[in-house]
Amino acid sequence: MKQKILLVVLDGLGDRPEEQHNGLTALEAARTPYLNFLAEKGACGLVDVEGIGVRPGSDTGHLSLFGYDPKKIYAPRGTLEAAGLGVVVRAGQLAFRVNVATVDLKGRVVDRRAGRISDCSVFEPALSKIKVGKTQFLFKAGVEHRGVLVVTGAGLSPNVSSNDARVQGEKELEVRPTDGSPQAEATAAIMNKYLKQAKKVLAAHGANKKRKAKKELPGNALLLRGAGGAVLLPSFQSRYEMRAACVAGSVLEKGIARALGMQVINVPGATGRKDTNVLAKFLAAKTALQKNEFVFVHVKGTDIYGHDGDSAGKKAFIERIDAGAKELLSMENTVVCVTADHSTPCQLKNHSGDAVPILFYGKGVRRDATKKFGERECAAGGVGRLRGLDVMNELLNLAGRAPLAGA
Ligand code: ZN
Ligand code: ZN
């Protein structure tokens, strides 16, 4: 009989040994009785999401886990993030992922996230009013310092670089054309003019004056990346013959799900931040499995703690996930998979190419000797080492949905 599939992605879950945890990772140090139960009754392994040693972004990492090879499909970050905010990028338009950041008078990036500013929607009207010639801009705020910028004009090209050096303390870059076309050159020039205007508008903005008075970092510059035009991806349903739904708080993952034609379920309390209600998400997933054959649950907090270098916080957050994971024990007729899109080791404060743990639980799963859900235990698990693109294949196989390879 065919089973349903629940894929839980704990963003940036994988980590490295920490002295403060006596050489264990945050996941290994956390008390996780329910995830351990799933590991013990199921099978575990490690995933090289985009290949051994490759550092995945959250966009390419998720696409790989869904079985879409990011090397073969066109799915730029800007377009996916826009989809996550409900904005469809039309032919001829361009979308960028935006960080609202803090830059000093010399143009050095003091904080790429403007002190993790809690809400950028106050800047939406002012940033959307700016025009460069006939080119128009729409800024839409996402979660915390994140947003998207949709550009409408003639002859725009997605082949332009980011202005984000990605390193705090370094000078902000110029947007540059990445191919020799006049369109890319013109687009880069337009974007640089926009960014200059945006700085003026933000410097004078009342919300920043208030932030300064409270000794908070102002959101006084925009860092753009992931320029993309319209995309049309082959839908998840047509590819796998499963109705699919997504439970996520963060914009990028909602956008990827929407671009693949999944139904995006908005769960109250699913914030895409550290304060998210994990239990509510797992309960919503359970409900969604009544009408769908595939449900994807995304939890962002683990990655945020990794970027903040807060291993104690990551451990405590994993324990909160585990409390919610009790719900995963009683999913009927469903193969449950828990994994990550990449590692975000707290000591690196960034994504790494370290393989991520994975567990499969459900009827028909060959039980292995794994007793705990952790990096080391998973390394010795019966699943062995998978590539990200193998994960969907293995899930289809376990759920009795894999097509026959031969005749
Ligand atoms: Zn991620
Ligand atoms: Zn990350």
Side-chain angles (χ1 to χ4, degrees):
M1 201 179 88
K2 284 181 183 174
Q3 297 190 79
K4 298 189 172 190
I5 296 171
L6 175 67
L7 173 63
V8 178
V9 180
L10 307 178
D11 205 302
L13 174 70
D15 214 301
R16 291 184 176 181
E18 287 279 343
E19 255 174 56
Q20 60 176 302
H21 304 314
N22 294 319
L24 300 177
T25 66
L27 173 61
E28 289 168 339
R31 207 183 147 267
T32 56
Y34 296 115
L35 290 169
N36 292 350
F37 178 92
L38 299 174
E40 189 175 355
K41 301 279 189 248
C44 293
L46 288 177
V47 188
D48 296 292
V49 179
E50 289 187 52
I52 292 176
V54 178
R55 296 171 53 219
S58 285
D59 48 355
T60 51
H62 276 89
L63 287 166
S64 297
L65 292 177
F66 292 140
Y68 291 73
D69 188 344
K71 289 194 194 81
K72 291 186 186 152
I73 59 165
Y74 172 76
R77 175 104 187 215
T79 311
L80 295 175
E81 296 251 5
L85 291 175
V87 181
V88 179
V89 180
R90 294 190 306 272
Q93 287 184 316
L94 264 193
F96 291 85
R97 155 68 199 265
V98 179
N99 267 27
V100 174
T102 308
V103 170
D104 69 12
L105 291 171
K106 288 183 176 155
R108 284 180 306 221
V109 179
V110 178
D111 190 328
R112 291 183 61 248
R113 305 183 177 95
R116 272 203 195 280
I117 185 166
S118 61
D119 182 11
C120 294
S121 62
V122 283
F123 301 130
E124 280 179 352
L127 290 173
S128 302
K129 245 184 243 159
I130 302 169
K131 280 187 189 150
V132 177
K134 284 186 179 162
T135 308
Q136 296 182 324
F137 301 84
L138 171 76
F139 173 74
K140 231 176 151 1
V143 178
E144 295 179 328
H145 56 277
R146 306 175 190 89
V148 295
L149 185 69
V150 180
V151 189
T152 308
L156 296 171
S157 164
N159 298 328
V160 291
S161 70
S162 171
N163 67 325
D164 184 358
R166 295 273 194 144
V167 183
Q168 244 136 239
E170 298 249 324
K171 263 190 138 180
E172 162 195 12
L173 308 171
E174 292 239 293
V175 177
R176 296 194 181 285
T178 55
D179 67 12
S181 69
Q183 288 89 342
E185 222 161 276
T187 305
I190 289 169
M191 294 318 298
N192 287 322
K193 278 185 193 154
Y194 176 81
L195 289 169
K196 223 172 167 183
Q197 285 286 332
K199 268 189 183 168
K200 276 189 199 154
V201 163
L202 289 169
H205 202 285
N208 272 329
K209 287 184 182 150
K210 277 188 201 151
R211 284 184 72 78
K212 273 191 183 158
K214 282 194 271 177
K215 297 229 155 55
E216 290 171 339
L217 291 172
N220 61 8
L222 303 180
L223 300 175
L224 311 179
R225 66 183 198 260
V231 296
L232 195 59
L233 298 178
S235 87
F236 194 88
Q237 183 164 352
S238 62
R239 196 160 184 163
Y240 299 120
E241 291 174 359
M242 293 188 285
R243 277 165 299 179
C246 154
V247 175
S250 41
V251 173
L252 172 65
E253 284 71 20
K254 282 189 198 173
I256 294 170
R258 222 168 250 150
L260 296 178
M262 293 185 197
Q263 181 202 354
V264 175
I265 297 165
N266 286 312
V267 179
T271 57
R273 298 188 303 250
K274 292 172 178 175
D275 63 356
T276 196
N277 186 341
V278 185
L279 175 62
K281 288 169 106 164
F282 288 141
L283 288 170
K286 228 174 181 175
T287 308
L289 276 165
Q290 291 168 4
K291 285 192 183 153
N292 294 276
E293 286 78 39
F294 180 95
V295 173
F296 156 55
V297 177
H298 177 257
V299 181
K300 180 72 179 165
T302 29
D303 181 57
I304 302 176
Y305 282 106
H307 283 287
D308 287 350
D310 179 0
S311 191
K314 191 169 179 179
K315 171 177 171 262
F317 186 76
I318 291 168
E319 290 177 348
R320 273 183 53 213
I321 294 172
D322 188 75
K326 187 179 179 194
E327 292 303 320
L328 306 182
L329 274 49
S330 54
M331 300 276 180
E332 267 173 46
N333 192 33
T334 302
V335 177
V336 176
C337 175
V338 182
T339 189
D341 55 342
H342 51 78
S343 295
T344 310
C346 295
Q347 53 195 257
L348 298 182
K349 298 186 179 179
N350 212 333
H351 302 185
S352 76
D354 301 306
V356 298
I358 190 165
L359 75 79
F360 296 100
Y361 167 81
K363 221 171 87 199
V365 174
R366 286 181 191 159
R367 212 174 142 176
D368 61 9
T370 317
K371 294 219 162 21
K372 269 176 80 16
F373 188 51
E375 287 84 345
R376 253 159 286 205
E377 285 264 334
C378 285
V383 173
R385 210 144 165 160
L386 303 179
R387 298 171 314 152
L389 290 171
D390 297 327
V391 171
M392 270 311 293
N393 284 341
E394 181 59 357
L395 281 170
L396 293 170
N397 170 52
L398 291 170
R401 295 174 179 275
L404 191 65

